[in-house]
Structure formats: C-alpha cells, structure tokens
Amino acid sequence: MAVALDRTASTLTTRSLRGLAPAALATVVWSGSFVTSRALHDSVPPVQQAFWRWVVALVAVAPFGARQAWRQRELIRRHLGFVLLASLLGVTVYNTLVNQAGLTVPAADMGMIMAASPVLMALFERVGGARLGVRRAVGLLTACGGVVLLVGGGAADPSGAPGDLWMIAAACCFGSYSALLRRRPTGLGGTAFLFTTFLFGTALLLPAQAVSVAAQGTFTPTPGTVLPLLYVGVASSAVAFFAWNKAIGLIGAARAGAVYYLQPVCVALLSWAVLGEQVGRTQALSMALILGGVVLGAAV
C-alpha cells in the first residue's frame, strides 16, 4: 500500500511539474505581447493588430495542425458549438480588447490588470464542481493581494479610464476561455484544436477588419510594425497558446492560473531591462507576495 501511495504521489508531482513548465513559458511569452501591443498603438489599429496576429499564427500552426484537424473533422463538427465559443473568447475578442486597451493603458498596467484573471479561472472551476483546496485558495488570495497592493501603490491608473475597462473585459474573456479548456472534447488533438480555433477566430474577425480598414485605412508595413506582429503571431499565439492549453490539460485552469500571476512580475522586469524603469519598495513587496502565492497556489 505504501509503495502504491508513493508511486501515486510521484506521478502527481511529475504531472504537476510537466504542467507548470508550459504555463510558465506561456506567461513569460505573453508578458512581451503587452509591450508589443503598447508599442503598436499609434501605428496599427487594434482590430488590424488582432487580425494580422491571427493570420500569422494560423500560417505558423497550419503545417502541424491542418492535417490533424482534417482527420478529426467529424469530431470537430459534433462539438462545433464548443469550438466556436473557444474561438470567440480566446481569439476573436480577448486580444482585440487587449489591443484596444493598449491605446491608452501602459504595458505594465495592462499586465497587472490581467493578473486578476486567475481568480476568475479558480471561480469558474469551483462553479464547475472542482475543489480548490485550502492551500491553493490561500495561494490565490496571497497572489491577488500582491496585485491589489501593486495597483493601490499607484502603479495603475485609479481613474477608471476606458482602457482599464477594456482590460478588465479582456481578463474576463481569458479567464472564461481557460476554464472552458477543461471541457475540450476527448480525442481532439492539441494542434488540431489550435488550428481550428485560430481559423474560426480569424474568420469571426473579418467583418471588424473590413470596417477598420474602411474607416481607418491600412497601416504601413515597416520593420517596426511587421516584426512585432510576427512576434505576437508566432511566439505569443502559436507557441504560447499551445503551451497554455497543454498546461490546462495537465494541471487545470486554477493551478495554471496561479502561475499566470507571474505576469506582472515579468512585465515589470521587461520594463526595467528594456525601458530602464526602476522597481520601488511597494512593487518589490508586491512581487514577493505574487511569487509566494504562485508557490502555494500551484502546489499539488
């Protein structure tokens, strides 16, 4: 009996570590996408940012997922409602809202507001019947306290600007998408799912893209616009979404969401490394709380 329990514990630990690694990878890569979105705010309209991001992502994933999606077309057709909802939340709406917020909200503030989404992931899982456990709940609350301290310390705009509301809506979309991933149809391959959601999500963006081009015109392709779009299309979309979906499948949205609290820390470090911004005492304390919460919340 003891040997069997030891083997079970070892399996759970290995599974947890295998899930935490891709969650951390996705979180780090996504941190850069907030900086990219902010950098493009005055050169590429928000909807066009989202549209070309997903076109690039679709091209990047197609060699790996198109054939698998075709083989599983009957499974996809049977679960078309699920796939369309995941496409709408995770592809069409989420990143468009982030880009819209980037018109007025600094990248660091965007990362901090998005750090609220793990709370929504945990709540959605709890509503779905999942038990969070005392340790994980304490971890989530600790990390959330770090985010609140960071925002309350003056790093985020307290005036309730429209950009903040766009980011709150984006956090709700991402939390919903992450919780929804736990219901992905059994047998639907990861790359097939990515390709299908990218395809449907891009198609759903077409009407908004047409309106944006007609009203705002097209942007000028330069290294300053194309290279960031390639980054968010390949790294922040194809790579990060695959890693995040893998993490959700292994450890669930709530535990992966605890790792997502690292995002404001990553954004702050990027700001320091790239922009030379200094980290104050309040920010350092907030980061300590966030990291401590991640350790507790991500534990088995």
Side-chain angles (χ1 to χ4, degrees), residues 59-127:
V59 172
V61 170
F64 310 98
R67 184 174 299 178
Q68 186 182 68
W70 177 253
R71 289 197 301 264
Q72 297 185 321
R73 61 188 181 278
E74 287 301 320
L75 179 62
I76 293 170
R77 184 185 60 80
R78 290 199 303 270
H79 299 280
L80 187 59
F82 168 86
V83 174
L84 284 173
L85 182 59
S87 303
L88 180 67
L89 291 173
V91 176
T92 306
V93 178
Y94 163 58
N95 284 282
T96 305
L97 292 175
V98 170
N99 296 337
Q100 184 66 37
L103 294 176
T104 56
V105 180
D109 293 6
M110 294 165 70
M112 285 184 286
I113 294 172
M114 273 302 298
S117 59
V119 177
L120 297 172
M121 297 177 205
L123 290 177
F124 287 141
E125 283 209 341
R126 185 67 185 89
V127 170

Side-chain angles (χ1 to χ4, degrees), residues 129-197:
R131 297 185 62 183
L132 299 180
V134 175
R135 183 172 180 174
R136 200 182 309 170
V138 171
L140 289 170
L141 290 174
T142 301
C144 188
V147 173
V148 171
L149 178 62
L150 196 59
V151 173
D157 182 5
S159 64
D164 292 338
L165 298 180
W166 290 121
M167 279 308 303
I168 292 171
C172 291
C173 280
F174 185 72
S176 302
Y177 169 80
S178 297
L180 187 66
L181 289 179
R182 291 292 279 180
R183 301 181 181 275
R184 193 175 84 188
T186 303
L188 180 57
T191 53
F193 177 72
L194 276 189
F195 176 78
T196 306
T197 53

Side-chain angles (χ1 to χ4, degrees), residues 223-236:
T225 57
V226 173
L227 291 179
L229 289 174
L230 288 175
Y231 171 82
V232 294
V234 177
S236 295

Side-chain angles (χ1 to χ4, degrees), residues 218-285:
T218 58
F219 66 93
T220 303
T222 65
T225 57
V226 173
L227 291 179
L229 289 174
L230 288 175
Y231 171 82
V232 294
V234 177
S236 295
S237 300
V239 175
F241 268 78
F242 180 82
W244 184 254
N245 293 355
K246 182 71 172 179
I248 296 291
L250 288 171
I251 59 176
R255 193 170 293 154
V259 180
Y260 195 77
Y261 272 119
L262 289 170
Q263 185 148 263
V265 179
C266 295
V267 174
L269 291 175
L270 280 174
S271 299
W272 171 77
V274 177
L275 305 177
E277 296 179 355
Q278 299 300 311
V279 176
R281 292 182 179 178
T282 300
Q283 291 165 312
L285 177 58

